[in-house]
Amino acid sequence: MPKQAIRTAVKVDLNTPAWEQPQLHNRWHPDIPFSCKVQPGEVVNVECLDWTGGQIGNNDSADDIKYCDLSRIHYLSGPIEVEGAEPGDVLVVEIQDVQPLPEQPWGYCAIFDKNNGGGFLDSHYPNAAKAIWDFEGIFCSSRHIPGVRFPGLIHPGIMGCMPSQELLDTWNEREKELVGYHASIGTDRVVANLPLEKFTHAGSADSDSAAKVAKEGARTIPPREHGGNCDIKNLSRGSKSYLPVYVKGAGLSIGDLHFSQGDGEISFCGAIEMAGVITIKCEIIKNGVKDMCMKNPMYIPGPVEPHYGPSRYLTFEGLSVDETGKQHYLDVNVAYKQTCLQFIEYFKKFGYSGEQLYILLSCAPVQGHIAAIVDIPNACTTLGVPVDIFEFECLPKEGGFEKIITSDCAFTSGE
Amino acid sequence: MPKQAIRTAVKVDLNTPAWEQPQLHNRWHPDIPFSCKVQPGEVVNVECLDWTGGQIGNNDSADDIKYCDLSRIHYLSGPIEVEGAEPGDVLVVEIQDVQPLPEQPWGYCAIFDKNNGGGFLDSHYPNAAKAIWDFEGIFCSSRHIPGVRFPGLIHPGIMGCMPSQELLDTWNEREKELVGYHASIGTDRVVANLPLEKFTHAGSADSDSAAKVAKEGARTIPPREHGGNCDIKNLSRGSKSYLPVYVKGAGLSIGDLHFSQGDGEISFCGAIEMAGVITIKCEIIKNGVKDMCMKNPMYIPGPVEPHYGPSRYLTFEGLSVDETGKQHYLDVNVAYKQTCLQFIEYFKKFGYSGEQLYILLSCAPVQGHIAAIVDIPNACTTLGVPVDIFEFECLPKEGGFEKIITSDCAFTSGE
Amino acid sequence: MPKQAIRTAVKVDLNTPAWEQPQLHNRWHPDIPFSCKVQPGEVVNVECLDWTGGQIGNNDSADDIKYCDLSRIHYLSGPIEVEGAEPGDVLVVEIQDVQPLPEQPWGYCAIFDKNNGGGFLDSHYPNAAKAIWDFEGIFCSSRHIPGVRFPGLIHPGIMGCMPSQELLDTWNEREKELVGYHASIGTDRVVANLPLEKFTHAGSADSDSAAKVAKEGARTIPPREHGGNCDIKNLSRGSKSYLPVYVKGAGLSIGDLHFSQGDGEISFCGAIEMAGVITIKCEIIKNGVKDMCMKNPMYIPGPVEPHYGPSRYLTFEGLSVDETGKQHYLDVNVAYKQTCLQFIEYFKKFGYSGEQLYILLSCAPVQGHIAAIVDIPNACTTLGVPVDIFEFECLPKEGGFEKIITSDCAFTSGE
Amino acid sequence: MPKQAIRTAVKVDLNTPAWEQPQLHNRWHPDIPFSCKVQPGEVVNVECLDWTGGQIGNNDSADDIKYCDLSRIHYLSGPIEVEGAEPGDVLVVEIQDVQPLPEQPWGYCAIFDKNNGGGFLDSHYPNAAKAIWDFEGIFCSSRHIPGVRFPGLIHPGIMGCMPSQELLDTWNEREKELVGYHASIGTDRVVANLPLEKFTHAGSADSDSAAKVAKEGARTIPPREHGGNCDIKNLSRGSKSYLPVYVKGAGLSIGDLHFSQGDGEISFCGAIEMAGVITIKCEIIKNGVKDMCMKNPMYIPGPVEPHYGPSRYLTFEGLSVDETGKQHYLDVNVAYKQTCLQFIEYFKKFGYSGEQLYILLSCAPVQGHIAAIVDIPNACTTLGVPVDIFEFECLPKEGGFEKIITSDCAFTSGE
C-alpha cells in the first residue's frame, strides 16, 4: 500500500495559550494522562511550542526575558503512549527530522537575569539580554550578533518517559534534601526547583489528578535518569536515544526544541529556542534496562551533523584556578568557566560585547570537553569553536585584531 | 640547498638513568638551564623518555605501578631556548609528528593504587593494575584487554614554557593555600603536590641552582597557565599550540608522550605512556599575550585525527546524582564519574573486568563532553565511545550480550 | 521587522498535468517567459514535480517505467528572474534546504529499458525494473531492496540559467554534429536528443514563442555549461553553486529533485526521484565569469552531508579491460563499468538480484573516483560503498557469505 | 614476551644502484625469486627506493625528468613470500604506516615530456617540469609552488602479488593486441609498454630465469587485476587491501611510495615521489577469490586520512565537450580533462603558471569524481580541491583576485 503522509500525533496551536492545550504539560508525573498513542515502528510528527509556550517575542528588547515566568515552563508535547512498552523495557526513539514551524522561521537565545534563572556566567553578566535568530533552511543568523552564520544542529532539549511514582518520589526526596542542606548553610542561590502548584499544567488530567500533579509533579528544568532536560546538542536528525521505561505505555514527552546549542548551554536559555515539529519512530527493547545495565539514557548521534575538519576548531583551555587566582581542587565547573571567559576575552577584540559572546557561546555548536580530571589540583577543560561560523578571519595572528563589530544584542528597557 | 635529515635537538638514552641525563628535568623553574637552542621556523626532533623515566616494564605484573615513585616524575626534555622569544610573546608550537622509539614499540596504561596517586574512580577501583599495549604502525592492541584495537591519537601530555620567578611564586602560593585549607578541614586526600627536594632533577643546573630548583621548583603533575601537563588528547600530529612566554628564550619543555588517551585520562596513568620522538617547529607571535588576551594556552587540532562517523559513537550520559543517590548541585565531576561508571557496567556484560574497562576508558579516544551545566541541580555529561575500536559488535540490542572476554589485565603479585 | 514565513516563488499542483502548469517548462530556451521574480538575497521556496511530471506510481510494477515517455521530461520550475543579473555575471545559488512534499513521502529509482533511455549497464541489464523508496525524515528504505537504509544526500538534479540564443545555437550545432557523425558510421545507439517539438512545454509562452521553443529548445537530458542536468549528488543542503548568467534576469530553473544518488547515477533514472520543495537564496557576482575564468559551473558542498568514517567504505576497483578481456586504452568509462560490475557480483552473494544492486548502486551515496588516468593502458577507477547503509555485516571475511535477501525489485508485467 | 622492534624484511641502500640490489625488481613475472619471507600476522617494515631508483635529484632543473629512462622503472621491493598463501586465496595487506626515509626528507613531482611518458594534459603542457617538496612531519611544502602546504595522504603507488604464468600470458596478449590495433590505424601515441629486455631487473634470479623474465616480464606501469600500479591515493595508513593470490607464497611486491597524490595522478609522475619505509601486516583469506567473486582488488581506507569539512572543497565541473567545442559521447576522459583545465585557469589568476598548477593538481589530495555518466551526450565529472591547502584565501568573490605568486617551478635547461 502506498505510503501516506506522516501522521501528526501531537498538534499545537500558536494562537491558544499553552496552558489551555490539553496535549501539552509542564510537569513530570505518572498521573498525567496520555495525550495520544503510537505503535512501535510507526513514524509520527510531534509538534512542539517553544519552551516558554510563546512568552518571548521577535523584537529588540530583552524585557520579556527579564520578566519571563519560569514556573510556567517547559511546555512539553505528550505524554505519548507507546503500545506494548512496559517498565524495565528500553524505548528507542529515532529522531528522523526536526524542523521549525514554517510560519515561525525564527528563534531566540538569551541571558537570564541573575535573579530570574541566571546562568553559568551570571556573576560576570547578571543582566538579561537577548538575540533573535532568523532561519534560512539549515542556516541561522542574527541581527543581534552580526558576523556569524552557521547550520543548526537541530534537536529537542527535552525527551523522556514518565517516571513511576516511586522514581518521582526519589527525585523529590533527593532534591528536597539538597535544598534543605543549602538552606541550612545559608546559601543564597536557588539550587533546585521543587514542585510548585502555581502554573502547573497537567495536560488533560481531571481535577483530582491535576491537583496531585501540581503538588508532586517534578519540575522540568533538570535532566534526570529518564532523560528529561538533558540539553544534549547532538540528539539531532538521525540520532537514536535509548530511554528507560518506568510506566506501562512509556509516556514519552518531548519539547524544548533547539535550532542549535553549544555544549553546556551556558546562558541557561542558551540554545536557539523555537517552536517546531519533530518526526520520530519509537521501538521497544524488552527488558533492556537490566540487559544493558542502564541507569541513565544512552544515545547514538545521527549521521548528518554539520562537520568541519578538526583543524577548523580554535580551542581554548581553562583550569580550576578561578578569576581571583584561587586554586580549586579538580573542579571542572571552575575550569569550564575559565575556558568560557577566555573565549569571550579573545573575541571581544573584534568588537563584540561580552553579552553577545556569552549568548553566542551558548548557542553555537561549540565542543566542551573534559580534557584532564586527575592531575591534582587542576582540572583542565577545553572549548573548541568552529572558525567557519564566523564570516571573518579569526585565527590567531601577529599584530592583534581589528574591531569590526559595532552593534549589540537586545537589552532590557531599563538599561 | 637540498634539505638535510631533521636535526635532533634533544636525544635520550634508554640505558642511562633519567636523572643522569642533563637534557632532562622534572620540575618547572626559571633557573633550569636551557638544554639546547632552536631558531624560529626550524624543524627539530625532540626525543623523550616515558613520564616515569623507565620505571615500568613490559611484563604481566602491576608491582612496578604499585611501587612507582611519583616524586621522580615527569622527566621532560628541555628546556629548549627559542631564539628571540621574550616575555609577553606567544610561542606557536606546531607538532609535525610524534612516533614511539623504534626500539620500544610498546606502551602501558595503568590504574594507580589509591594510596599512590589514585585516580578518578579510585573509590571503586583502589588497587594497582596495568595493561601493556603493542604498537603496529598507527594501531595499538593489548594482550591485557583483548577485543579492542585502534589507531592512536598520538600526542605529548606535557608541553609548556618555563615560568618566570613571579609566576612560579604565584603557583606555589595558591597551591600551598589549597593544601593548607584542606589540612585545616582534615581532608584525607592529597590535594596538591608541593615542591619536594627529593629526586628533583634540575637538568644541567650547577649545585646552587639545583638547590634552588629543588626547593622551589613546581611539580609537573598539574597543568597550569603555561600549558604543562594539560593531557589534551588532540594535541596530535599537525596541531598548533599557542603558549605564553614568561622568560627570555621561552624555555620550552616537552614530555609525557602518549600513544593514545581518552578525555579525562581518568585512571591518572591513563594514557598509553611511551618513550618516543616528537617533531616540532616553533614560531613567535610578538606581544601575542596581550593582543589575544591570553591567560591560558590555545590550540588548533591537526587535520589527521582518526575519524569515525558521528553515528559510530555509543554515548553514555551521567548526572550529578552520585551512586548512593545523593543529589549534588551542578557538579560536573560527579556527573562525569557517573557517566564513566555507566560505560563500565555496560561493557562488563561482555566479560571484561571493571579494571580492564577503567583502563580502556582512560586510554581509548573517547569523547567526554560537558553537555549541560545550567539545569539546576543536575549537570549532565556525556561520554562518546567509538564502537569501531571493538572487534565485536557492541551496539544495544534485544536479548542482552554474550560474555566473550575471558582474560584480565595485570595485577600486583599480592592479589 | 519580524521575519515572515518564507515566500513560495513557484508552486506546483500534484493534481494538474504538468504540461498545463505555466510555471513549469521542459526545454531550455531564452524565449521561455520568466515565471516569477526574486531579489538578490531573498530566500524563497521553489516547489518541483518529479522529473517525469508524475508519470511513475507507487506500486509494484515497472510498466510505467518501461513505457515512460522521455520526450516529456524534465519538468522544471522557472525560469526565475533574478533582479539585476546580467550576462557575464555569476549567479550564486545557496541551497538552504530540500524536502519531499509532505503529502508524498516516497520516491522511486529505476532501470530504464535498453530501448527507452537505457543506462550505464544496459548491455547487462536491458529490462525495466523499479524500486519504491519510503522516506522517514532524513532516512529512506525500500520494500524492493530490503536490508538497506540510509540518510538521503538530498539535492536537485537540475539547476541552471537560461542560455542565450547564441549559446543555444552552439549546443544544437555540436549535438547535431555528434548525431550526424554517429549516423554516418552506423551507430545503433541514441547518442543525443536533439530538439523535438512533441510534448514541448514552453511555460507561459505565447503561441509564437512556444513554436520557436518547440523547434529550437534544447532538451533537458544532458548537463551543459550552464549547469543543467549535472546530477551532482553533493549539491545538497547548504551548498553554494556558481552559475554563469547568459541573459538579463538570469532565468534560473530548477527541477529533478533527488532524495539520494550515487556518483554516476548509473541506471539513468538512477537517483531516488521525487517531488519536493527547495529553499534557495540567489546572489550575484558582477562580471564573475571573466574574473574567475568560468566556463562551467563551480560549487562548494554543504556542511551537513551524511558522514561515515573513511574506514567504513568498502571500495571496489576496476580497470579499462572489459568483461570479454579486451584491453582498452585509458578508457575511464570501461573501467568504471568494471568497477560497478565488481560491486554487483560481490553483493549478489547475499542473495540480491543484479537489478536490485544496479538500482542500489545508482541511488545510494557511493563515491566514484577516477583513481589513475595516466598509467597506460589501464585507467583505474574506484567505487566506495558505505557499509553502514546495510543492515547486515558485509565486510570481507573468510568462509563466504550467507544468502539473506529473498525478495526482488519490481519488474514489468511482461516478465 | 616483550615485543621487539619491528623486523625490516626488505632493506634498501641509497648508495648502491637499484639494479644491483637483489631484493628489488622492475618487472612482474612468477620466476622472480622471493626476496624474503613473512608469516601471516607478522608485522614487518619494507624499505623502498623511489620509483626511478634514484634518478631524480633535489635541485632546480627538470633535466633529470626530461631524460629519465622509463625502461628502468619501477623498482619494487620483493617479491615477499607469505607463508601458506596459495592461488585462489586473498592476501589482506594492512598498511600500518608509511614514512619517508629519515635521511631523505623530500620528494618530487613532475610533468614528463610529451615524448617521454607524457601525461593527461600533455597536449597543453608538453614540456618537462619539476617541483621539489620538503617534508615536515606530516606536512609538505615546495619552494617551486609557493603558497600551499598540506598533510600527506602517504601511500604506496604499487602493491600486488606475482601473476601466474597464465595470467602473465593474458596480460601480454591483450596488451600486444592493443598495440597492434593502434599500429594498424596509425596511432602516433605509445598506448602500452610491452615487455622489454633492456634494463630488466629480475631481482636475484639466475641468468636463465633472468632471461625469461626479461623476455616475458610484464612492465610495471599499468595497474592490472593483481593490483600493481593502481595509484589509489587512499591506500594510506590503516588501510586494508584485498589482493588475489596467483602463485604459491603470493609474492607480494611494493614500491612507488607517494607522500601525496591527487585522484588521477594526472601529470604521470604526478604524486610526490619518495623513498621510504612501509610497515605492513599480511593475512590470508582462504579461497577468498571465489567466495567474494573477486576479479580486481578491493580495499578499505584507513581511519586517519586528512579531513577537511565538505564545505572546504571548491569544486570544479567539466563535460565531454572538448576545448575546441566538439561534442563527445559520454566520454569521462574528455570531461575530466576539461575539469582539470577549469581548475588551472581559475588559479592562474593568483599568478601561478599552468605547469605549477598541473603539478599541484597531480599531487595535492584532490577528489576526482564521476558525477554523471548517463545523461547523453555529456558525461560530467567534478574535481574537489581542499581550500585549506592554500595559505591564502581562494574562494570565489566579487572583484577578481590579486596576483600573489611570482616564482615558478623548475624547467629544463634548454628552455
Side-chain angles (χ1 to χ4, degrees), chain D residues 302-382:
Chain D
V304 296
E305 297 191 346
H307 48 131
Y308 311 100
S311 285
R312 302 297 291 174
Y313 281 89
L314 178 58
T315 308
F316 298 86
E317 299 177 29
L319 307 172
S320 51
V321 176
D322 69 24
E323 55 272 39
T324 70
K326 188 179 166 191
Q327 177 72 61
H328 296 254
Y329 173 70
L330 292 184
D331 190 318
V332 174
N333 295 54
V334 171
Y336 197 55
K337 192 170 292 185
Q338 295 309 307
T339 315
C340 292
L341 291 171
Q342 276 276 89
F343 160 83
I344 288 174
E345 293 311 308
Y346 183 93
F347 277 96
K348 272 185 180 172
K349 293 276 181 183
F350 295 97
Y352 288 113
S353 70
E355 284 82 0
Q356 284 177 314
L357 294 165
Y358 183 14
I359 290 177
L360 181 59
L361 192 50
S362 295
C363 66
V366 300
Q367 311 284 350
H369 282 254
I370 296 164
I373 201 170
V374 293
D375 299 320
I376 56 170
N378 272 327
C380 176
T381 58
T382 61

Side-chain angles (χ1 to χ4, degrees), chain C residues 303-330:
Chain C
V304 296
E305 299 193 344
H307 49 132
Y308 312 101
S311 286
R312 302 298 290 173
Y313 281 89
L314 178 57
T315 308
F316 298 87
E317 299 177 28
L319 307 173
S320 51
V321 176
D322 70 24
E323 55 272 39
T324 70
K326 188 178 165 189
Q327 177 71 60
H328 296 254
Y329 173 70
L330 291 186

Side-chain angles (χ1 to χ4, degrees), chain C residues 55-69 108-113 116 126-132 143-144 269 355 359 408-415:
Chain C
Q55 298 185 50
I56 311 302
N58 184 344
N59 55 43
D60 299 322
S61 161
D63 285 356
D64 45 13
I65 293 295
K66 182 162 188 184
Y67 302 110
C68 178
D69 191 331
Y108 59 93
C109 178
I111 300 172
F112 265 62
D113 190 282
N116 184 33
N127 300 318
K130 189 172 81 175
I132 299 296
R143 64 186 181 265
H144 295 121
C269 173
E355 284 82 1
I359 290 176
D408 211 334
C409 56
F411 292 100
T412 56
S413 50
E415 283 164 295

Side-chain angles (χ1 to χ4, degrees), chain A residues 174 223 231 263-264 266 295-296 298-299 301 303 311 313 315 327 330 332-333 342 367-371 374-375 378, chain B residues 174 223 231 263-264 266 296 298-299 301 303 311 313 315 327 330 332-333 338 342 367-371 374-375 378:
Chain A
R174 76 186 184 205
D231 284 328
D263 274 339
I266 63 167
K295 191 169 142 193
N296 292 313
M298 299 187 296
Y299 77 95
S311 285
Y313 282 88
T315 308
Q327 177 71 59
L330 292 185
V332 174
N333 295 53
Q342 276 276 88
Q367 311 284 351
H369 283 253
I370 296 163
V374 292
D375 299 320
N378 272 326
Chain B
R174 78 187 182 204
D231 285 329
D263 273 341
I266 63 169
N296 292 312
M298 299 187 296
Y299 76 94
S311 285
Y313 280 88
T315 309
Q327 178 71 60
L330 292 185
V332 174
N333 294 54
Q338 295 309 307
Q342 276 277 88
Q367 311 284 349
H369 282 255
I370 296 163
V374 292
D375 300 319
N378 272 325

Side-chain angles (χ1 to χ4, degrees), chain A residues 8 20 42 64 69 72 76 91 126 150 186 244 272 298-299 304 331 352 354 356 375 378 387-388 412:
Chain A
T8 296
E20 294 178 10
E42 189 189 5
D64 46 14
D69 190 333
R72 287 193 185 279
L76 306 179
L91 188 69
F150 51 88
I272 301 179
M298 299 187 296
Y299 77 95
V304 297
D331 190 318
Y352 287 112
Q356 284 178 315
D375 299 320
N378 272 326
V387 296
D388 292 324
T412 57

Side-chain angles (χ1 to χ4, degrees), chain D residues 273-292:
Chain D
E273 311 286 345
M274 66 174 206
V277 57
I278 179 169
T279 307
I280 58 168
K281 179 166 75 176
C282 294
E283 291 180 295
I284 297 167
I285 298 181
K286 298 306 292 180
N287 302 311
V289 169
K290 195 170 156 207
D291 281 348
M292 301 190 290

